[in-house]
Amino acid sequence: MNPKLLEEAYKRCRNICSEYARTYYLASLLMTKQRQKAIWAIYAWGTRIDEMVDGPNAVYMSKSFLDRWEERLEDIFDGRPYDILDAALTDTVSNFCLDIKSFKEMIEGMRMDTWKSRYKNFQELYLYCYYVAGTTGIITVPVMGIAAESSVSAKSIYNAAIHFGIANQLTNILRDVGEDALRGRIYLPQDELEQFGLSVDDVLRKKGD
């Protein structure tokens, strides 16, 4: 791809990251230039999917749309980007040898939001959090890198990254209980609500605020 167009692609990804996740953006500025750009490209890709499911046009979202997005992801990994933002991720994939599996799992988590709005227990919620956030940890480890002199195993580092992503998602869920309820979604496990004498209707009515 033309270097100037590629630079513009990363610039647009940077703008998305700085607008939607200022904390992550500021943290990225501590990295090397190449790693910065990779994080921006990954975040921009994830944000676009999230906006499809939770943004203003989410009511028009369908499983088939996400299926097409997954096909588009395969094109990105095959070096055939659809648009300028995809081009940034294609370049990132080639620079850091990322695995498509975690990207597909993230899409699977977004699919869950199109058909699932209740979680019976923490095990169900944990799986959802892994798909939509734990996968981010897996994707970004190759970008961050593992020091050659590290005494910690790669497996432990990946597990920590997954747990960090899941913890962030659980924090978001607790923060956005009211906002999610307006969309008809309740991520709080139903068995735990029952333990505290609350029902789904109580959450929808915002009882206990």
Side-chain angles (χ1 to χ4, degrees):
M1 185 175 184
N2 183 296
K4 287 186 178 180
L5 288 177
L6 190 57
E7 196 61 33
E8 175 63 23
Y10 279 117
K11 180 180 177 181
R12 294 188 188 185
C13 290
R14 181 195 67 191
N15 292 342
I16 291 172
C17 189
S18 64
E19 178 181 353
Y20 287 89
R22 184 163 179 77
T23 301
Y24 284 115
Y25 172 70
L26 291 175
S28 75
L29 298 182
L30 300 174
M31 303 175 188
T32 64
K33 291 295 184 182
Q34 188 181 41
R35 286 175 175 157
Q36 283 178 19
K37 293 191 293 185
I39 292 297
W40 299 337
I42 292 167
Y43 189 87
W45 182 85
T47 298
R48 287 201 285 172
I49 305 177
D50 188 58
E51 282 296 293
M52 291 176 199
V53 176
D54 287 333
N57 296 317
V59 292
Y60 305 108
M61 178 56 56
S62 67
K63 180 180 178 297
S64 61
F65 194 95
L66 287 172
D67 289 343
R68 290 195 295 275
W69 191 261
E70 186 167 348
E71 292 172 0
R72 181 167 163 173
L73 173 67
E74 292 172 354
D75 287 339
I76 288 173
F77 272 75
D78 287 338
R80 300 191 303 272
Y82 179 80
D83 62 17
I84 193 169
L85 293 175
D86 286 354
L89 185 57
T90 294
D91 187 62
T92 292
V93 167
S94 65
N95 288 334
F96 291 95
C97 299
L98 302 182
D99 190 338
I100 196 172
K101 180 176 180 288
S102 295
F103 288 87
K104 287 192 172 188
E105 287 180 329
M106 191 182 294
I107 293 175
E108 187 59 34
M110 301 301 174
R111 281 197 186 97
M112 289 178 71
D113 271 331
T114 67
W115 63 269
K116 189 175 181 67
S117 59
R118 304 287 186 274
Y119 292 82
K120 294 180 181 179
N121 50 49
F122 185 75
Q123 286 71 27
E124 286 191 4
L125 181 61
Y126 183 91
L127 180 62
Y128 169 77
C129 290
Y130 166 75
Y131 279 148
V132 299
T135 51
T136 303
I138 298 175
I139 291 168
T140 54
V141 166
V143 175
M144 305 288 191
I146 300 175
E149 66 274 14
S150 175
S151 61
V152 181
S153 69
K155 180 179 180 181
S156 294
I157 291 172
Y158 273 97
N159 284 338
I162 291 170
H163 293 153
F164 179 71
I166 290 173
N168 279 336
Q169 186 62 27
L170 290 172
T171 301
N172 291 343
I173 286 170
L174 291 173
R175 180 196 65 195
D176 298 334
V177 170
E179 183 180 330
D180 291 330
L182 291 175
R183 297 191 181 103
R185 297 179 190 162
I186 299 177
Y187 293 100
L188 301 176
Q190 293 182 48
D191 60 350
E192 294 187 24
L193 287 174
E194 291 173 6
Q195 289 178 25
F196 292 92
L198 294 170
S199 67
V200 167
D201 288 340
D202 290 331
V203 177
L204 293 174
R205 293 197 303 267
K206 299 186 180 181
K207 178 181 177 180
D209 278 3

